[in-house]
């Protein structure tokens, strides 16, 4: 510094060079990326008159996701799942190796119970030498050469330690193909035991040769796959607990090999197949070297078999097996020594594995910041990871962006990603639906949630609700303190809480059960309802018809809805006996079914679209809900009304991050319990539900079930029941859109009060701009509002609901 305390440029350059040489570390699978990184750091830290820093020990070329993270997993052995046959593996050889591995696992388990258990796994060898290297001078070319020589000595010594060899043996067991030609080179848990806990100097003859063969094969396989064992690559870091700061923008790729992508440039004839069946046929021809001859039989291709095609097929097999092995590695359970116990779930994406890796390599007092898809916080496959970081106080912030303004030009405009920051924090800050980084300065968009909030709002998955504004978060937090979720799964010794006794069912899968579908109706056949055919309080929303020789679905016109004899035409029918058989598993005797649409979005006119349909077959995208233990059908009707209320839809929108309302989302929506309703409440609700749902003769069984409990055997109303139905005989109600809008508004106002909303909070749910101003960064029912403005010249639902709210306050609705 100068006399006035200003930083001199030379001092700054010197400090920057020291930081780069001592504090910066990097890992990449691509050697060229490492070279570019090294060059960039040299340029950034260049200091005139001094040599370029030695960075080889800090910049490692390797696969950050493939390798041992915790050395203590070595004495757990090689999991049995490793010997499950993959593409190209010999099943008999796999069975033989599985048996040998079982014997090795027993030996390791016996050792773990002994007094010397895991002593060999405490600390990597060579740590002192690497720490000494860090303290060597870095001032002259001779100093740099001395550092390089010291690092070379460290590498040669470190790679020959038992820990390094055992780690390679473990990972190579996943990678190596298991065939008759390779069987002698495949490591098992017995190999690991021999390497870690036996005196190998006593090995002689065939046994010594076999062990060396396995070591050599493991070393080659790991080098080819660029395996990286983090604690062995950076022992000086992990000896101190991990990295203080981790930054990254990891790739977002599925581990599973995508055939179209593999063949896109290698052989477009395969990639351009119309469907999977045709692509599989072409791959089979490729394996025979006959693809070209099958597709272009008239061309002279100079021979019967193409060796080039067969070589490409072999390359495809290798790539597919490598992807399968990586998938097995990612899916190994934590108790078996798996590296990804939180994110190794389902069709794994690398971004989730990187997120867990970053958590593992960051010191307890450190911080990490990285860019990943927002699904890390909302998807079912990553719920364990997100619950881990929120409940453990490790989430600092999550800022979600939509790419609609092309922050990443190469990513689709509708894609959502987030800036995720990890560290020690009692609560985390969030912002969603951002389009620019400048919007982070808008306090109205940011809100805070703590561990208890996640337990309350999403108790089963601990995933993150998606709020557009602070007001959305505060209002949801308030409601979930008052109203329970539909099903709270058992956790930490606590039993399941399921007030409605709800069980879910996907009755018929549209693909897997297609052999049961019939093209025409008739005696003993029931229509197959699909999700797009229903809407709230409307089982006749859409119907199939033939257009240009194809089945097409279209909205049912008002004239047909006003005809109580009209029934929708499905695409398929199913035998009634098959429907009854499937319902028998649910012990369901009712003559109606309650389902909700699986396909939805938080930006649609309505998100939770549930409705009652007559007894029928139902497709899998219309999941069914079966309440049990509710003898009172009026309470069942209240559940229908609750699921269709605007208040519930407001909360449901914060749960749906994609296009599906899965079972795990439905379970965590706040729903009033049966005990919340009084007899007068049911009188108010059930009569209105009956009027809204019973508009056609095919719903008469539902109406009869609902009304029968209100009548005495002689047809008179029960005197103690205040329900009144002024229709005798019980005929369908007219389908009057204006009347239906008013009745629905009365139900919406009632449920807003039941959820504990104030008048202003109801106004906010209907239209945030009405309460907070036109520039407020949130929307609730924007599509509904815009549709009604076009159709009626006003936001009719808002007016009717607020009018009903005022009448309820004044006791003018009964």
């Amino acid at each position: 510094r100068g006399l006035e305390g200003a930083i001199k440029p030379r001092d700054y350059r010197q400090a920057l060079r020291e930081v780069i040489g001592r504090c910066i570390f990097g890992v990449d699978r691509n050697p060229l990326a490492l070279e570019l990184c090294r060059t960039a750091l040299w340029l950034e830290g260049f200091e005139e008159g001094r040599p370029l820093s030695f960075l080889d020990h800090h910049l490692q070329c390797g696969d950050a996701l493939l390798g041992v993270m915790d050395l203590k997993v070595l004495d757990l052995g090689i999991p049995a799942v490793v010997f499950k046959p993959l593409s190209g593996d010999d099943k008999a050889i796999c069975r033989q190796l599985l048996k040998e591995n079982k014997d090795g696992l027993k030996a390791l388990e016996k050792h773990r119970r002994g007094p010397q258990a895991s002593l060999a796994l405490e600390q990597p060898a060579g740590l002192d030498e690497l720490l000494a290297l860090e303290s060597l001078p870095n001032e002259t070319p001779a100093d740099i050469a001395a550092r390089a020589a010291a690092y070379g000595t460290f590498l040669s010594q470190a790679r020959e330690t038992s820990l390094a060899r055992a780690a390679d043996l473990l990972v190579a067991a996943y990678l190596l193909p298991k065939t008759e030609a390779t069987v002698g080179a495949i490591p098992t848990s017995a190999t690991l035991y021999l390497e870690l806990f036996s005196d190998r100097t006593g090995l002689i003859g065939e046994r010594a040769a076999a062990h060396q063969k396995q070591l050599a094969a493991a070393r080659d396989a790991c080098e080819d796959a660029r395996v990286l064992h983090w604690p062995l690559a950076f022992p000086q870091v992990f000896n101190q607990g991990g990295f203080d700061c981790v930054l990254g923008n990891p790739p977002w790729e599925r581990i599973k090999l995508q055939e179209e992508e593999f063949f896109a440039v290698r052989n477009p004839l395969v990639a351009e197949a119309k469907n999977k069946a045709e692509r599989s046929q072409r791959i089979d021809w490729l394996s025979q070297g006959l693809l070209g001859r099958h597709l272009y039989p008239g061309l002279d291709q100079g021979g019967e078999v193409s060796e080039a095609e067969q070589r490409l097929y072999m390359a495809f097999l290798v790539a597919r097996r490598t992807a399968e092995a990586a998938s097995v590695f990612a899916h190994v359970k934590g108790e078996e020594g798996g590296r990804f116990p939180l994110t190794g779930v389902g069709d794994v994406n690398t971004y989730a594995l990187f997120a867990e890796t970053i958590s593992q390599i960051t010191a307890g007092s450190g911080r990490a910041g990285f860019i990943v898809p927002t699904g890390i916080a909302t998807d079912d496959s990553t719920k364990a990871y997100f619950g881990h970081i929120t409940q453990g106080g490790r989430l600092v912030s999550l800022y979600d962006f939509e790419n609609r303004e092309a922050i990443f030009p190469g990513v689709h405009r509708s894609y959502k990603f987030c800036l995720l920051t990890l560290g020690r924090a009692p609560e985390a800050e969030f912002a969603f639906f951002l389009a620019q980084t400048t919007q982070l300065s808008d306090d109205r968009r940011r809100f805070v949630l703590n561990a208890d909030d996640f337990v309350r709002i999403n108790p089963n998955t601990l995933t993150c609700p998606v709020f557009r504004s602070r007001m959305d978060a505060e209002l949801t937090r308030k409601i979930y303190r008052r109203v329970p979720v539909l099903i709270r799964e058992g956790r930490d010794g606590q039993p399941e809480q399921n007030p409605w006794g709800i069980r879910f069912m996907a009755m018929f899968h549209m693909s897997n059960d297609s052999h049961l579908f019939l093209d025409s109706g008739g005696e003993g056949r029931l229509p197959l309802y699909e999700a797009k055919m229903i809407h709230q309080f409307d089982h006749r929303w859409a119907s199939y018809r033939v257009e240009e020789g194809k089945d097409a679905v279209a909205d049912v016109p008002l004239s047909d809805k006003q005809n109580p004899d009209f029934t929708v035409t499905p695409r398929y029918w199913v035998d009634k006996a098959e429907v009854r058989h499937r319902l028998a598993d649910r012990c369901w005797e009712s003559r109606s079914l309650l389902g909700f649409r699986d396909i939805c979005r938080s930006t649609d006119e309505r998100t939770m679209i549930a409705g009652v349909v007559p007894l029928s077959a139902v497709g899998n995208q219309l999941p069914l809900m079966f309440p049990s233990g509710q003898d009172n059908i009026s309470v069942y009707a209240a559940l229908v009304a609750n699921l269709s209320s605007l208040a519930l839809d407001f909360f449901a929108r914060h749960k749906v991050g994609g296009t599906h309302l899965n079972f795990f989302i439905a379970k965590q929506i706040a729903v009033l319990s049966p005990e919340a309703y009084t007899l007068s409440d049911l009188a108010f609700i059930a009569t209105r539900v009956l009027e809204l749902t019973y508009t056609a003769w095919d719903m008469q069984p539902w109406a009869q079930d609902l009304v029968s409990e209100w009548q005495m055997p002689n047809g008179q109303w029960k005197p103690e029941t205040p329900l009144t139905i002024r229709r005798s005989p019980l005929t369908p109600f007219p389908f009057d859109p204006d009347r239906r809008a008013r009745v629905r508004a009365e139900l919406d106002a009632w449920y807003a009060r039941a959820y504990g909303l104030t008048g202003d909070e109801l106004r906010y749910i209907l239209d945030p701009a009405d309460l907070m101003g036109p520039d407020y960064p949130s929307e609730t029912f924007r599509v509904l509002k815009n549709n009604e403005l076009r159709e009626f010249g006003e936001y009719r639902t808002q007016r009717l609901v607020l009018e009903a709210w005022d009448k309820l306050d004044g006791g003018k609705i009964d």
Side-chain angles (χ1 to χ4, degrees), residues 95-129:
R95 287 195 295 270
Q96 174 188 332
L97 291 169
L98 181 62
K99 182 179 183 302
E100 295 175 9
N101 189 69
K102 186 176 182 180
D103 295 336
L105 288 174
K106 290 180 180 177
L108 286 169
E109 183 179 3
K110 182 178 180 181
H111 183 273
R112 285 198 299 273
R113 296 174 180 173
Q116 301 299 315
S118 300
L119 289 182
L121 307 175
E122 292 301 324
Q123 181 172 299
L127 174 60
D128 293 337
E129 290 81 353

Side-chain angles (χ1 to χ4, degrees), residues 269 272 282 290-301:
L269 294 177
E272 294 168 1
R282 294 187 180 189
L290 299 175
L291 176 63
R293 299 194 69 80
H294 277 289
L295 296 181
Y296 301 106
L299 294 180
D300 181 8
Q301 300 180 39

